[in-house]
């Protein structure tokens, strides 16, 4: 009794026992994922009950802004938001949980003990970094206003002085304009003689006698003792800043730092046998292996491109939507696909792109096509990793030798992997087999759990 | 679950005071919760508790494993962190997530206290709790079921998969009970014949019986005397019920057999099978109470959480933002959110009752009639008069002297004794041994009456206009039954007599007697639908998509009722236990205009077969759309008219087959008086 046991029983439901429940199991399909969001289907067993037909029942919704008009199309409500636990309630039907590809890659690394280090290829562009460098000219929009203001303010502070204080100097007994100028400059006040002369003329006008005759202070010393100079910063704080002299030589324009970026690009070419022998279950197995590998590589690299090739005796390129579904009637010649792969790869120079070529099929191939054409093609293709996934081989066919031949040709090469999948449970092992072939080259030794997993995987051979 | 890790302990200690104070505040506000035991658990334990429906031990079943996997993924990917889970028991057990922020913990505690009050006082819960055991005894009951079913599963002569299969079959029918009646004591698991099935052949039977006797208490013994074998057999007569029986599970339990594939015949069940059926059925009755009151219960808890956390500053000033954010998230989740719907409906109940009370008093002012109400009464003056007394509104250290004056004058809004103690504490009087912290807990200075004034709904800024909105019709309606008019000379006198607790009183009585169906039915008003922008939607056969159907309050209410009535499931009843005189079971879907999901119904019928052992039938009505009619309707931009066709589905262990439905049976399942269709006539025009 207890959680461990209940989880174990749940895992077995519909798989190793309780076949009566298998019709109520939904895994969700692998579609519905995007480049930035992966929806992982989870197993849900939905016991039947007497329920209303959803269409017949209709429902109640709540308009976000304003009441909607009758007749307007709506999505049936997304489901109740249960934030806090509700006693006795079973949660809504979340048949998926969502994660982003990077998270998925991390999880897979963790789960499988992988250590795939994406390779940065050569500098393919200079990327603009942050706007951290500055220059004295540039477009208006990049003007560094902060800097401009600071410089203006500095200038203002440097030229500003306590006018009242300097003016007071004119009231020293016997002092003329030159005396005051000399005194002010001694004090380090940034005042010009012309300003003092102007001020003297004004004061003389107001007083009606020349400045030398004004004798409020006995001497400059007496003035210094009697009047407190107010520092500029205080005055600015008190009176505010009415004007800051902006000059064009203070202008600084920001421009971006140039960063050499090694972009980690990946192109993945998925190849699938669409010949008559590839029945529904086999196609599904291919999807189950390829889709997570695509997600994984999407999560690992900065930019990922996917191309899809299907073949029977001929090969042609398709969209992802079609890729897993197509079934044609023809025979099989795997090398046709590799010819197309080589052609497609010319668009992705190996110096700039990490390349992956994943092929899948049931190992059937025409005559000696594998030995004569496919293996030489695989040898000539530059790629980080090539893989062949064999699904449910040998429906009795004697020519289902492709996987074996590829395996024996490449042996323990760390850029060619062969994996075999005959039921959904093998999928994880196959993914591990493939992805660890590349990462295993430079990565650390797998931990104990991983070793055990590989051993399990071996049983199917 | 008792956790002695240091972190959890520290957290638990820190919660002692909030838990104690929340309880005191809750009681002062008039709540009467079951005692609550608080536990602090880490996220993994929380996931486990949620998986098991809030209990630590349940019968072994894959479902809990599934729930756990799901909850763990939700938790891990941030799709739904659970703050707490509380179970309905006396005492209640509340499990709080260790990682909650302090403000969250306090909020959760106030929320839980209100749930515990609801559990203790709502009579739909009472159907289970008051079945003569002096309380729900839920944890103990579920644990006993867990032990029983586990020991059956371990027996050498029982195939474990068979046990699980039986649990699944009963679970598929767990909503076809009579949830409006108390769990039938006769079918609880303490039944004669139990001793034989819990003990494995290899085990010491005496020990097993002894263990069972330990489990018994007096009332169970009494029950055993009353509902003995003879009584059970007497019940066995009713295989051809005169009136349809809503408790399908009970009927299957009493009269069902098991199908033996080897002989191809129905044979009597093993006793252990009956034990399993009883256990699962009994749990279905336990959980029925919460399924029927989800909106009310969550709304109730949210209302009091808001009053305590926001209104009474139970969140410290530094915690308030976290709390406000928490609340906004809870109320803001999308879809038909039971927290939000419930909270709004409760506030509506309060507001209406408070308004009614004020109007009642105002209509008794000399010379005031419904006709001249709006001209004679200065509603601004009324609003001012209704403002809480300043010292009550701002109760706290600063108003102690004023409150003391009020207390001296015998004012019933003030807790004189508390004020006295607070004063002595302030004046440094050492004799005051247990100081009260009026800074943090100002509500300790007030009685419930004082608190009612402090939180008076008509004084809340958002409800100031409520009196103005009352229509003359409503006034006339209320005046019609009014005696003793002209009681007051002035408005002032009338308002002085207003009972500020009237809103709360109404809420308390509603929480006792209503369930979600009656709650929505009674309190979902036009005003509510309009302000919440609620609408109904329906599936259009012509447009092949869902469309907004109506924004009419009556329609919204109808649709909501469909969702809450009978757990939102179609009503299935037993029509005949000896159908066609061949011992077949005939179930009837009481057709209310909404069709069954037939695929799922067929699968469920197969489960019913496992509990009946003989062929099972389901009578239902399906709506068929003729292709030509759909095409014609599309052309005209109309909705096609479907044809209602009676169908009998039969399952005899092979395939589900379809048959015409007898007119007489059809009449018995058609419910004409209800109509949940909200499509307008000119819908697609």
């Amino acid at each position: 009794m207890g959680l461990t046991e209940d989880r174990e029983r749940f895992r077995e439901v519909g798989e190793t026992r309780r076949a009566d429940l298998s019709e109520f199991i939904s895994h969700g399909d692998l579609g519905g994922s995007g480049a930035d969001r992966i929806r992982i289907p989870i197993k849900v067993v939905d016991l039947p009950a007497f329920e209303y037909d959803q269409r017949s029942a209709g429902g109640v919704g709540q308009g976000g802004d304003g009441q909607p008009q009758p007749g307007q199309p709506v999505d049936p409500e997304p489901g109740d938001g249960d934030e806090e636990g509700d006693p006795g309630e079973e949660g809504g039907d979340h048949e998926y949980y969502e994660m982003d590809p990077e998270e998925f890659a991390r999880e897979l690394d963790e789960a499988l003990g992988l250590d795939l280090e994406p390779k940065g290829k050569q500098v393919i562009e200079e990327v603009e970094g942050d706007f951290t460098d500055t220059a004295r000219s540039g477009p208006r929009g990049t003007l560094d206003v902060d800097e401009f203001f600071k410089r203006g303010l500095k200038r203002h502070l440097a030229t500003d002085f306590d006018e009242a204080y300097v003016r007071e100097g004119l009231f020293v007994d016997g002092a003329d304009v030159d005396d005051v100028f000399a005194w002010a400059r001694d004090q380090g006040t940034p005042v010009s003689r012309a300003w003092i002369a102007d001020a003297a003329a004004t004061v003389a006008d107001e007083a009606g006698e020349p400045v030398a005759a004004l004798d409020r202070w006995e001497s400059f010393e007496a003035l210094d003792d009697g009047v407190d100079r107010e520092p500029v910063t205080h005055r600015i704080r008190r009176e505010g800043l009415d004007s800051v002299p902006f000059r064009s030589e203070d202008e600084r324009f920001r421009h971006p730092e140039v960063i050499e970026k090694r972009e980690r690009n990946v192109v993945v070419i998925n190849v699938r046998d669409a010949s008559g022998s590839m029945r529904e279950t086999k196609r599904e197995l291919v999807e189950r292996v390829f889709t997570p590998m695509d997600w994984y590589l999407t999560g690992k690299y900065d930019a990922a491109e996917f191309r899809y090739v299907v073949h029977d005796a001929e090969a042609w390129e398709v969209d992802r939507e079609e890729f897993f579904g197509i079934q044609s009637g023809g025979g099989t010649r795997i090398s046709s696909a590799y010819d197309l792969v080589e052609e497609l790869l010319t668009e992705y120079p190996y110096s700039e792109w990490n390349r992956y070529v994943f092929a899948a099929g049931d190992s059937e191939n025409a005559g000696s096509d594998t030995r004569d054409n496919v293996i030489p093609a695989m040898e000539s293709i530059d790629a980080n990793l090539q893989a062949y996934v064999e699904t449910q081989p040998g429906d009795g066919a004697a020519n289902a030798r492709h996987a074996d031949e590829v395996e024996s040709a490449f042996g323990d090469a760390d850029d060619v992997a062969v994996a075999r999948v005959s039921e959904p449970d093998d999928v994880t092992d196959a993914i591990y087999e493939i992805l660890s072939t590349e990462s295993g080259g430079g990565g650390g030794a797998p931990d104990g759990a991983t070793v055990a997993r590989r051993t399990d995987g071996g049983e199917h051979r | 679950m008792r956790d002695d890790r240091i972190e959890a302990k520290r957290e638990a200690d820190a919660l002692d005071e909030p838990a104690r104070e929340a309880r005191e505040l809750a009681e002062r506000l008039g709540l009467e919760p079951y005692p609550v035991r608080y536990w602090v658990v880490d996220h993994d334990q929380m996931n486990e508790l949620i998986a098991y429906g809030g209990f630590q031990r349940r019968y072994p079943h894959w479902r809990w494993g599934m729930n756990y996997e799901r909850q763990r993924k939700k938790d891990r990917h941030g799709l739904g962190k659970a703050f707490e889970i509380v179970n309905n028991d006396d005492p209640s057990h509340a499990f709080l997530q260790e990682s909650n922020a302090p403000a969250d913990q306090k909020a959760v505690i106030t929320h839980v206290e209100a749930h515990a009050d609801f559990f203790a006082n709502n009579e739909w819960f009472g159907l289970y709790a008051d079945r003569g055991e002096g309380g729900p005894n839920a944890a103990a009951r579920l644990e006993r079921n867990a032990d029983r079913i586990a020991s059956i599963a371990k027996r050498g002569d029982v195939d474990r998969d068979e046990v699980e299969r039986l649990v699944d079959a009963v679970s598929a029918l767990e909503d076809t009970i009579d949830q409006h009646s108390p769990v039938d004591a006769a079918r609880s698991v303490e039944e004669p014949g139990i001793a034989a099935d819990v003990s494995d052949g290899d085990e010491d039977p005496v020990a097993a019986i002894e263990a069972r006797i330990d489990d018994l208490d007096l009332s169970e013994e009494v029950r055993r005397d009353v509902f003995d074998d003879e009584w059970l057999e007497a019940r066995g007569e009713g295989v051809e019920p005169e009136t349809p029986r809503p408790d399908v599970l009970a009927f299957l339990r009493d009269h069902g057999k098991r199908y033996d594939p080897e002989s191809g015949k129905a044979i009597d069940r093993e006793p252990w099978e009956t034990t399993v059926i009883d256990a699962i059925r009994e749990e279905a009755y336990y959980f029925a109470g919460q399924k029927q009151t989800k909106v009310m219960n969550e709304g109730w808890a949210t209302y009091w959480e808001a009053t305590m956390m926001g209104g009474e500053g139970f969140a410290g000033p530094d915690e308030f933002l976290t709390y406000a954010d928490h609340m906004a998230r809870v109320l803001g989740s999308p879809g038909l959110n039971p927290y939000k719907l419930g909270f709004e409906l409760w506030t509506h109940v309060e507001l209406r009752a408070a308004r009614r009370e004020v109007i009642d008093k105002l209509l008794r002012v000399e010379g005031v009639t419904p006709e001249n109400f709006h001209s004679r009464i200065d509603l601004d003056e009324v609003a001012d008069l209704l403002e809480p007394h300043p010292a009550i509104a701002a109760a706290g250290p600063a108003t102690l002297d004023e409150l003391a004056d009020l207390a001296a004058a015998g004012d019933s809004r003030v807790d004189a004794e508390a004020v006295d103690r607070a004063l002595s504490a302030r004046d440094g009087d050492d004799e005051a041994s247990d100081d009260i912290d009026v800074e943090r807990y100002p509500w300790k200075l007030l009685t419930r009456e004082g608190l009612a004034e402090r939180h008076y709904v008509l004084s809340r800024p958002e409800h100031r206009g409520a009196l103005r909105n009352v229509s003359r019709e409503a006034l006339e309606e209320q005046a019609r039954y009014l005696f003793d008019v002209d009681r007051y000379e002035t408005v002032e006198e009338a308002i002085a007599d207003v009972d500020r607790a009237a809103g709360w009183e109404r809420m308390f009585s509603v929480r006792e007697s209503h369930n979600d169906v009656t709650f929505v039915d009674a309190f979902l008003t036009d005003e509510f639908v309009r302000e919440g922008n609620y609408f109904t939607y329906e599936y259009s056969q012509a447009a092949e998509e869902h469309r907004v159907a109506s924004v009419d309050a009556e329609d919204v209410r109808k649709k909501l009722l469909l969702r809450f009535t009978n757990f939102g499931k179609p009503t299935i009843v037993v029509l005949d236990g000896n159908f066609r005189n061949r011992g077949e079971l005939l179930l009837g879907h009481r057709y209310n205009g909404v069709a069954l999901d037939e695929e799922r119904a067929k699968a469920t019928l197969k489960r019913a077969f496992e509990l009946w052992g003989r062929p099972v039938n389901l009578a239902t009505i399906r709506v068929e759309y003729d292709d030509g009619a759909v095409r014609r309707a599309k052309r005209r931009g109309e909705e096609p008219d479907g044809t209602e066709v009676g169908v009998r589905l039969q399952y005899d262990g092979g395939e589900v087959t379809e048959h015409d439905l007898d007119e007489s049976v059809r009449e018995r399942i058609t419910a004409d008086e209800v109509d949940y269709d909200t499509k307008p006539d000119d819908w697609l025009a």
Side-chain angles (χ1 to χ4, degrees), chain A residues 5-7 9 17-18 47 51 53 56-57 59 61-63 71-72 74 77 84 87 92 97 107, chain B residues 52 61 69-70 76-77 84 160-161 164 168 290 532-533 535 537 546-548 559 563 592 595 597 600:
Chain A
E5 193 181 312
D6 290 337
R7 287 172 71 186
R9 308 268 312 163
R17 54 186 200 86
R18 295 301 309 282
L47 277 180
E51 279 160 21
D53 175 63
S56 184
Q62 197 174 10
Q72 193 175 316
V74 282
E77 65 172 77
E84 294 176 38
Y97 66 99
E107 296 246 330
Chain B
Y52 285 85
H61 196 262
E69 297 291 328
R70 189 185 292 183
R76 189 148 109 198
H77 299 292
E84 49 87 18
R160 175 151 188 197
D161 277 0
E164 207 181 69
D168 289 352
Q290 6 210 100
N533 294 322
F535 62 87
Y537 60 83
H546 286 93
R547 297 273 182 109
V548 174
K559 272 288 184 238
R563 218 181 132 128
N592 53 11
D597 180 330
R600 292 180 68 77

Side-chain angles (χ1 to χ4, degrees), chain B residues 364-626:
Chain B
R364 293 172 201 266
V365 174
E366 269 178 16
V368 172
T369 65
E371 292 74 29
N372 66 16
F373 181 90
H374 285 289
S375 54
R376 280 280 305 270
I377 308 256
D378 177 358
L379 288 173
D380 290 328
E381 184 197 353
V382 170
D384 288 343
L385 289 170
L386 284 171
E387 281 297 302
H389 187 289
I392 303 269
T399 59
L400 263 187
D401 293 313
E402 265 182 280
L403 290 172
D405 291 345
L406 288 175
D411 195 307
S412 55
R413 294 172 294 184
V414 182
D415 184 332
E417 190 253 348
V419 170
D420 205 42
R421 264 170 42 212
L423 276 175
S424 344
R426 186 185 67 182
D427 303 340
D429 192 337
D430 292 336
E431 281 167 47
S433 52
D434 53 338
D435 285 355
I436 59 173
D437 187 346
V438 294
E439 176 87 47
R440 285 180 65 194
Y441 304 121
W443 42 268
K444 295 195 174 191
L445 300 170
L446 303 176
T447 60
R448 179 165 189 249
E449 194 185 332
L451 288 168
E453 182 163 325
R454 192 165 144 98
H455 296 288
Y456 189 55
V457 62
L458 289 171
S459 300
R460 289 179 218 153
E462 66 271 29
H463 299 310
R464 286 279 183 109
L467 279 175
R468 219 170 288 280
N469 295 340
V470 73
S471 68
R472 193 160 129 190
E473 291 73 41
L475 290 168
E476 274 167 0
E477 163 97 26
Q478 197 172 339
R480 195 167 306 143
Y481 304 101
L482 218 56
F483 300 97
D484 190 20
V485 288
D486 299 341
R487 194 199 297 170
Y488 306 108
E489 282 179 26
T490 63
V491 166
E492 202 165 353
E493 249 180 78
I495 295 300
D497 247 15
V498 164
D499 176 8
R500 304 291 215 292
W504 284 359
E505 294 307 339
R506 179 75 180 129
M507 290 172 71
F508 278 83
S509 84
V510 167
R511 77 98 152 75
E512 274 177 28
S513 57
H514 282 257
N515 59 34
D516 282 348
V517 176
T518 59
F519 189 57
V520 167
D521 193 23
F523 302 111
L524 191 83
T525 60
D526 292 19
E527 203 176 343
F528 184 87
V529 170
R530 206 171 43 244
E531 280 168 14
N533 294 322
Y534 288 97
F535 62 87
T536 71
Y537 60 83
E538 304 269 9
Y539 183 77
S540 160
Q541 297 288 339
E544 293 178 10
E545 63 181 357
H546 286 93
R547 297 273 182 109
V548 174
S550 172
V551 294
D552 182 66
E554 194 47 45
D555 286 337
V556 170
R557 172 161 51 231
K558 266 198 307 208
K559 272 288 184 238
L560 278 178
L561 289 181
L562 175 64
R563 218 181 132 128
F564 294 124
T565 304
N566 197 44
F567 315 117
K569 301 262 174 70
T571 305
I572 307 290
V573 294
V574 177
L575 292 178
D576 197 343
N578 187 21
F579 183 56
R580 303 200 295 177
N581 251 335
R582 294 179 195 171
E584 293 186 15
L585 177 69
L586 176 63
L587 299 175
H589 161 220
R590 313 216 82 171
Y591 180 73
N592 53 11
V594 183
L596 279 185
D597 180 330
E598 280 191 33
E599 284 316 304
R600 292 180 68 77
K602 285 174 186 169
T604 314
L605 204 55
K606 293 179 184 171
R607 311 283 135 175
F609 175 77
E610 293 188 18
L611 299 174
W612 186 248
R614 289 151 286 174
V616 287
N617 298 269
L618 173 68
T620 184
I621 287 171
R622 139 197 327 154
V623 184
E624 291 179 354
Y625 293 92
D626 172 48

